[in-house]
Amino acid sequence: MQTIKDTLAENLGGPATLLGSHQFKLDDCPDLSGKVAVVTGGSEGIGFGVTYTLLKHNIAKLFILSKSKEVVDGAKDAMAKELGQDKADRTVWMECDLSDWVRVKDVAEAIKREASRLDILVNNAGRGIMPAEFTPLGVDRHMAVNHIGHVVLTSHLLPLMKRTAEQGHTVRISNQASNVHYQAPAETRFASLEEINTDVGPNGQYGRSKLAAILYARYFDRNVTKKGHPNVLMNATHPGLVSTKQSRTSIFEAFPLGGYAMSHGIEPFKKDQFEGAVPTIYAVTTTKESGQYICAPAIPEAGSDLSQSEELADNLMELTRNVVREKTRSESADKGCPFDDLVLH
Ligand SMILES: NC(=O)c1ccc[n+]([C@@H]2O[C@H](COP(=O)([O-])OP(=O)(O)OC[C@H]3O[C@@H](n4cnc5c(N)ncnc54)[C@H](OP(=O)(O)O)[C@@H]3O)[C@@H](O)[C@H]2O)c1
């Protein structure tokens, strides 16, 4: 019976969220005075729910990484109106397309110059359930944005996060995953670029990138948290079914007709962007664990069999390192500045 209640709590909004076995509310977020955060895709949807909550709880400085200035301007106006100009002024927007890994590295370096500590990193931005597409570097866009861009960002920010932890703070990173990771192809091995560039349909494409988000958290736990950095934690999260641009609009690109059920039919049962932010806020302010898959509101779940495979996680991260090195050579090694400094841990 509790399993059914947990499933309802994880995926649906409203009172269903009170059924879960591990409760957490946004009001349980501790005071964050003095802390610094980075949130990708922090200007709309679930990401806005996250940035709003961090500011409400007094975060000192918050970097938002996203593509659209117009959207971030709207978000800042909303924050100023509801939380006051002082809170809105604590946000710094950095234009960053996560599929452009050279730009991602530059943005990470800029953050390291501007901030003397980094307590929270929310790897949230993402391409939703949409058709397969390649980036200009010739890599599947779901993997390039949802997984690889976040690995590049995290890896370049990691020295600052380790320093913050060494000063006696707990540093927390969250990766926005999804229960759609169960729809990653059963034969996923993360063995080659060719494999991740194979079109497996909108759910498969998206699911594979979300499987990567969970595997990365578990890999990080083994290779960073448990290898000398006990206060640097990384977890993956599932927000449930949330009413955002992804679930209302983008879904039509993949399913011009069937998307109607997702965008309108089940709209009354979806969570709002604040309810959708709950597991992330728990993961980046409260949990003491690392390497978990945290479903809404704060329920640790095993995830799919694939998500628990250490071998698959190792394959994924080796492939990630190789693809980044190979694809950014002309912008780095060939100009005398190797991108080989992508130390994943
Ligand atoms: N909604 C759900 O039901 C649901 C369920 C499970 C998981 N999720 C995950 O939750 C996360 C947030 O999604 P959401 O539902 O809140 O959707 P959303 O409202 O569409 O927000 C997506 C955010 O990602 C940013 N983004 C997209 N592509 C980017 C890129 N290439 N580089 C940098 N930023 C990029 C967008 O910024 P710009 O507008 O500036 O591009 C936007 O801020 C995603 O990872 C999503 O997969 C959502």
Side-chain angles (χ1 to χ4, degrees), residues 29-38 54-55 57-63 90 115-121 164-165 167-172 231 284-286:
C29 177
D31 181 68
L32 303 170
S33 298
K35 294 185 188 287
V36 178
V38 172
L54 296 178
L55 286 166
H57 291 265
N58 302 319
I59 196 104
K61 189 162 194 162
L62 196 157
F63 295 89
R90 297 180 192 192
S116 57
R117 63 187 284 179
L118 181 55
D119 305 85
I120 291 172
L121 169 59
T164 306
Q167 286 158 8
H169 309 287
T170 300
V171 171
R172 296 180 175 93
N231 291 325
V284 296
T285 67
T286 302

Side-chain angles (χ1 to χ4, degrees), residues 13-29:
T17 52
L18 299 175
L19 298 171
S21 52
H22 292 62
Q23 280 300 325
F24 184 80
K25 301 184 297 305
L26 292 183
D27 284 346
D28 297 331
C29 177

Side-chain angles (χ1 to χ4, degrees), residues 253-298:
E253 270 194 49
F255 303 108
L257 296 176
Y260 190 82
M262 175 70 143
S263 72
H264 292 78
I266 52 175
E267 184 67 23
F269 303 105
K270 290 182 199 163
K271 302 176 181 194
D272 66 30
Q273 64 197 133
F274 297 101
E275 282 177 305
V278 169
T280 298
I281 292 295
Y282 171 75
V284 296
T285 67
T286 302
T287 188
K288 305 236 177 316
E289 304 293 328
S290 184
Q292 292 201 322
Y293 177 47
I294 300 170
C295 295

Side-chain angles (χ1 to χ4, degrees), residues 41-47 65-68 71 96-99 124-127 145 176-178 206 210 238-242 244-247:
S43 53
E44 66 185 317
I46 299 165
L65 276 49
S66 64
K67 293 180 297 178
S68 164
V71 172
C96 181
D97 182 338
L98 283 152
S99 70
N124 163 76
R127 176 173 173 79
V145 172
Q176 197 68 275
S178 165
Y206 179 76
K210 294 302 179 183
H238 168 57
L241 190 51
V242 187
T244 64
K245 189 176 75 184
Q246 265 190 22
S247 65

